[in-house]
Amino acid sequence: MERPSLTTLCASLCECMGVTPPEKAEPANKKFVAEITGGKLAEKAVMYNPDAVGTWIVNKYAEKFVPVRETAPYELQMRTVFPPKTPVCFASMYTGAQPRVHGIERYVKPVVKIDSLFDALIRQGKKPAIVAVKNSSLDKIFREREGMDYYITPYDKEAVEQGIELIKQDKYDFLVIYNQEYDDSIHFTHPTSRRARRAL
C-alpha cells in the first residue's frame, strides 16, 4: 500500500480538532483520523518536530524509541515532498499543500503567505504557538500571524524546557516544538556517528 503524502497531515490534524482545513490543503487521511481519535475530537495537540529523524533511524535504534512508542503508540509512515529539505517539508506539513503551491521549493526560509494550519486554528478561536530554535525554519516561515505566539530559544535544551513549561501552563490549543541537534550533527558528521547518536 502506498504511503500517504506528508501534505495530508495538515487536514488530518484539523479534522482531529474539528477545525476547517486551510484552503489549499490536500484531503485528510480519514483512516489516520479515525484510528487516532476513536471518533472523538482533540481539544489540544502538541506537535514535536525532531528534524531529520527519519523512519530508518527510528527502526535502527528502536530501543531508544520504546518510551516514545509507549506514550504515542500510533505510527503513520508518510511520503515526504520533494525536495526533502526542512523548510519545504514544514511548509507542506502545516499548509497541506505541495511546494509549488506554498512557494518554498528549495532551502530558503521566506514567510509562507498561503493559508496554514495556524491560520485555520486562529479563525476558529484556537490559540497556536511555536517553540523553535533561533533562525530555524520554524522560527521564520510561519511568522506574521496575528493571534499566534512564538517562543524562540538558543538551542534544543531550552526549546524542550520552554515547551514543557507551556504544556504545564495549558494556555495553547496547538503547540509546535522544534529540535534541530540531530539534523545539525548529521551535517557535521554522519547519521550514525557518536555525535548524532548522542543528539538522537
Side-chain angles (χ1 to χ4, degrees), residues 8-149:
T8 65
L9 183 61
C10 180
S12 299
L13 290 168
C14 286
E15 191 157 318
C16 286
M17 297 185 74
V19 170
T20 302
E23 58 188 34
K24 307 269 188 195
E26 294 184 4
N29 180 333
K30 301 285 189 182
K31 184 173 183 286
F32 166 79
V33 172
E35 286 185 28
I36 204 165
T37 65
K40 298 177 183 174
L41 290 180
E43 292 179 22
K44 296 178 183 278
V46 174
M47 287 289 290
Y48 176 64
N49 297 268
D51 202 350
V53 179
T55 302
W56 76 273
I57 203 78
V58 171
N59 292 337
K60 181 174 180 63
Y61 298 109
E63 73 285 352
K64 291 183 181 295
F65 291 89
V66 168
V68 176
R69 287 179 162 132
E70 287 173 348
T71 303
Y74 188 82
E75 294 183 37
L76 178 65
Q77 295 186 10
M78 306 181 96
R79 281 182 294 116
T80 190
V81 291
F82 189 84
K85 303 291 184 187
T86 301
V88 180
C89 291
F90 279 136
S92 294
M93 280 173 63
Y94 291 115
T95 65
Q98 292 290 336
R100 67 183 177 281
V101 177
H102 61 63
I104 301 180
E105 298 185 78
R106 57 193 172 90
Y107 194 92
V108 291
K109 302 175 189 176
V111 173
V112 171
K113 299 297 186 185
I114 72 166
D115 203 27
S116 72
L117 172 61
F118 307 109
D119 302 300
L121 289 161
I122 292 165
R123 273 196 301 276
Q124 291 193 222
K126 297 191 180 291
K127 185 75 173 164
I130 290 176
V131 181
V133 176
K134 186 175 183 177
N135 295 321
S136 66
S137 298
L138 278 176
D139 172 19
K140 301 289 189 182
I141 68 173
F142 292 110
R143 289 288 183 162
E144 302 175 12
R145 266 102 180 144
E146 193 171 325
M148 180 150 162
D149 291 342

